[in-house]
Amino acid sequence: MNKRKVLKTEVLSLNKMKSNIDCLRAHLIEIGTLKGLSHPETIKSSQELDKWLYKYQKSISN
């Protein structure tokens, strides 16, 4: 694979990650507002968002 193609793939992957993070964040806000911050579903959603934020940070720091 050439370098240009690899970089394009990495950018697409980062954009997908950002999009997923934005969706998870919106879902977390909605669930937290409707069910409360200590509801198990809110906590699970928060943990999922944390995982994706970690993956994203790790990807951009490499």
Side-chain angles (χ1 to χ4, degrees):
M1 207 183 264
N2 68 30
K3 191 172 185 174
R4 179 178 272 164
K5 196 169 191 173
V6 170
L7 290 175
K8 186 175 181 180
T9 302
E10 288 175 5
V11 169
L12 288 174
S13 293
L14 288 176
N15 287 339
K16 281 186 172 186
M17 282 180 157
K18 282 186 205 178
S19 178
N20 195 26
I21 287 168
D22 289 342
C23 289
L24 288 168
R25 185 177 285 123
H27 179 71
L28 174 60
I29 291 168
E30 182 180 350
I31 296 298
T33 301
L34 293 173
K35 297 187 177 186
L37 299 179
S38 60
H39 190 276
E41 192 174 338
T42 305
I43 293 168
K44 184 177 179 181
S45 182
S46 177
Q47 291 169 339
E48 184 68 18
L49 176 58
D50 287 345
K51 287 178 195 174
W52 279 96
L53 288 169
Y54 177 76
K55 287 179 187 180
Y56 180 78
Q57 288 294 327
K58 194 172 178 180
S59 293
I60 63 171
S61 67
N62 289 336

